[in-house]
Amino acid sequence: MKDCNYNVLHALVKEQQGLYAIKQYLKDANKDKHFACAKMWKRVERNKAENVKLLHGILSMKIKAGKC
């Protein structure tokens, strides 16, 4: 596997793991009624979700083009 492909895949996995953790942090903040933290975690969640979407799109494009 080429370094570029590995890096995209690795980053995708890390972002998805981070997104999973952030969902738990958001749940905890809401449960504890820490609304400022919940708002911040929601923003971080949106950013992570956008990163996952971007990385997934690039990886899909590379696979379809036979460049993986």
Side-chain angles (χ1 to χ4, degrees), residues 8 15 18-19 31 36-37 48 56:
V8 171
E15 288 294 316
L19 185 58
K31 181 182 76 175
C37 286
K48 286 277 186 198
H56 185 268

Side-chain angles (χ1 to χ4, degrees), residues 20-53:
Y20 178 82
I22 287 163
K23 286 179 185 283
Q24 184 61 51
Y25 304 156
L26 176 58
K27 188 176 173 183
D28 291 345
N30 283 323
K31 181 182 76 175
D32 294 338
K33 296 183 171 77
H34 293 166
F35 300 117
C37 286
K39 184 178 178 182
M40 180 268 307
W41 286 123
K42 192 67 179 165
R43 183 174 176 185
V44 173
E45 180 184 38
R46 282 192 306 269
N47 290 340
K48 286 277 186 198
E50 184 63 30
N51 291 344
V52 166
K53 184 178 175 182

